Amino acid sequence: MGGDMGKSAKLYDHRQYRQVIARAVLAVGICLGGIEVAFAFGGEFPLKVPVPANNPMTPAKIALGKQLFFDPRLSLTGDVSCETCHNVMGNGSDGLPLAFGVLGRVDTPRHAPSVFNAAFNTVQFWDGRANSLEAQAKGPILNHVEMGMPNAADLVKRLQEIPGYRDEFTKVFGDKNPITFEHVAQAIATYERTLVTPGSPYDRYVKGDKAALSSSAIAGMKTIRSFGCESCHAGPMFDNPGTPMGTGWFQKFPVQPHNPVCAKYVQKYHLMDDPGRFDVTHKAADMHVFKVPSWRNVALEAPYFHNGSVGTLQTAVRVMAACQLGLTVTNKQVSDIVSFLDSLTGKFPKETMPTLPETPNTSIMMNVSRLEKVAVEKTKK
């Protein structure tokens, strides 16, 4: 036992040394495919959201997308909408460790991230399996646990039964085959691109208002930079160093599961139960790899991490220090870092509930039992 303990300690010391060197290298820049990438820390909130050429934003498409986002009729049971798990009247998530979908199902193993500023994500979902907001919008609707529709055809059929949607889809997408699954996703994504939160204290600070940050927040910013955190949390959204849309920026979590402090967190918060991006690529190198999340509005987005297992930002900071950097942080360092992260909370747009189109003199007979049977059979294949 003593010999094993000694070997473990030496191995951990060696890993700590390697991590210090890695942080120093990453803080300066790394080489990706022969291209030197410098890690710019932060920056002012982007003036515009990226918009794909094949899905331009228009007021009518935004309005239609907002209705679809709030409409529970897009789900199997008619009682779960996009807004159910991504509450735009609040922080854009649901505040739960794991979200609830149709028929009371729990969407394991992952916590619902905020939809605010998702327009800036270079990929979507914790495992990066969707390369655009349009691709992401399709996923939950057909997911057996989330919104539960068995296929796109049944969704289109349901929307075609609603006169108001027939009219609105025609206005937005034209007379020829206006209601399609692709158009549903395009409209929802267009609305989501309006959900941005500029104007944080940090944004005011980088524009020249040096009184916008407290002394504690400034100390926290310096501590973060000294740790080399921008090797992952870079750029104005604090989630990537400028990678193109659709490519993603990923990191293994936890990096140091054998760090004695981290090992306790791994056990307590089940940090290694989820294989992460491995489920998408099936590559061993992607085991426990996740999309780097943005720090924007992180103060409002508890519970934390991919499984929503950590309830406070202070604890999340300690977990990240131990499991990603091999560090044990002091109480003051934690307080200062949290003060800086608090300064990244932006101004949320004023959202109002949309009026959904009705079905005069009739009702949509959803036939949930039949659709559920189809959905179950689909998941077994």
Side-chain angles (χ1 to χ4, degrees):
M1 177 68 75
D4 290 340
M5 289 284 286
K7 290 178 182 178
S8 297
K10 289 179 180 179
L11 180 61
Y12 175 55
D13 288 341
H14 180 60
R15 283 177 175 153
Q16 277 191 310
Y17 172 76
R18 288 173 59 192
Q19 188 66 19
V20 168
I21 297 300
R23 289 203 305 273
V25 172
L26 287 169
V28 176
I30 64 172
C31 187
L32 292 176
I35 301 173
E36 187 74 11
V37 179
F39 290 90
F41 181 78
E44 191 177 336
F45 197 93
L47 294 176
K48 295 181 179 180
V49 298
V51 179
N54 65 349
N55 189 26
M57 296 179 70
T58 67
K61 192 186 294 181
I62 292 170
L64 173 59
K66 184 174 185 177
Q67 288 178 315
L68 294 168
F69 186 90
F70 276 82
D71 199 332
R73 290 172 293 186
L74 272 65
S75 70
L76 169 75
T77 51
D79 62 352
V80 176
S81 69
C82 303
E83 202 270 342
T84 301
C85 297
H86 301 283
N87 178 12
V88 297
M89 300 299 173
N91 68 356
S93 181
D94 57 11
L96 301 173
L98 302 172
F100 286 88
V102 294
L103 303 172
R105 292 170 180 153
V106 180
D107 189 17
T108 55
R110 294 179 187 150
H111 168 65
S114 175
V115 72
F116 282 105
N117 301 321
F120 298 106
N121 293 345
T122 61
V123 291
Q124 306 293 331
F125 295 113
W126 281 101
D127 55 21
R129 65 185 182 272
N131 63 3
S132 68
L133 278 176
E134 286 79 4
Q136 186 280 329
K138 296 176 181 179
I141 294 173
L142 301 186
N143 184 294
H144 178 59
V145 173
E146 296 180 56
M147 297 174 75
M149 290 299 290
N151 52 60
D154 280 305
L155 172 68
V156 169
K157 180 181 177 182
R158 183 175 292 180
L159 293 176
Q160 287 173 337
E161 295 182 55
I162 303 172
Y165 276 139
R166 295 200 298 267
D167 293 340
E168 291 182 40
F169 272 87
T170 299
K171 291 176 183 177
V172 173
F173 295 105
D175 294 333
K176 188 177 180 180
N177 196 28
I179 302 181
T180 67
F181 191 39
E182 186 66 32
H183 288 163
V184 169
Q186 287 181 334
I188 291 174
T190 298
Y191 165 63
E192 290 177 335
R193 290 190 173 98
T194 68
L195 301 174
V196 297
T197 62
S200 71
Y202 171 79
D203 293 316
R204 299 199 303 274
Y205 178 83
V206 297
K207 285 182 177 180
D209 179 5
K210 300 309 177 185
L213 294 189
S214 67
S215 59
S216 178
I218 293 172
M221 179 169 59
K222 292 178 179 178
T223 299
I224 284 170
R225 300 206 69 181
S226 72
F227 288 170
C229 298
E230 67 262 43
S231 63
C232 290
H233 295 281
M237 304 309 294
F238 298 90
D239 67 344
N240 77 84
T243 49
M245 296 300 290
T247 58
W249 188 245
F250 302 93
Q251 177 60 275
K252 186 178 288 289
F253 178 69
V255 170
Q256 297 192 31
H258 301 297
N259 169 345
V261 178
C262 179
K264 295 179 181 178
Y265 291 136
V266 169
Q267 182 177 15
K268 181 176 182 179
Y269 299 118
H270 308 283
L271 299 181
M272 296 185 71
D273 289 3
D274 187 339
R277 189 160 170 75
F278 174 81
D279 278 347
V280 178
T281 67
H282 305 293
K283 296 178 180 179
D286 286 331
M287 183 65 73
H288 307 306
V289 167
F290 298 90
K291 177 179 72 68
V292 174
S294 171
W295 279 350
R296 293 281 180 173
N297 304 318
V298 67
L300 306 181
E301 294 177 1
Y304 297 102
F305 302 132
H306 57 278
N307 60 359
S309 60
V310 173
T312 70
L313 188 53
Q314 289 81 357
T315 300
V317 168
R318 294 183 187 279
V319 171
M320 290 296 290
C323 293
Q324 301 306 95
L325 304 174
L327 299 174
T328 299
V329 285
T330 66
N331 289 339
K332 184 179 187 309
Q333 286 173 325
V334 171
S335 178
D336 289 342
I337 290 171
V338 169
S339 292
F340 173 71
L341 295 176
D342 285 346
S343 79
L344 299 178
T345 300
K347 295 181 179 179
F348 285 70
K350 184 178 181 180
E351 291 295 311
T352 56
M353 299 281 285
T355 299
L356 303 182
E358 298 287 354
T359 54
N361 304 319
T362 188
S363 175
I364 296 175
M365 304 303 290
M366 295 187 180
N367 201 348
V368 171
S369 59
R370 181 191 70 80
L371 294 177
E372 166 63 1
K373 183 179 179 180
V374 173
V376 169
E377 290 175 351
K378 179 182 176 182
T379 60
K380 291 180 179 179
K381 294 181 180 179

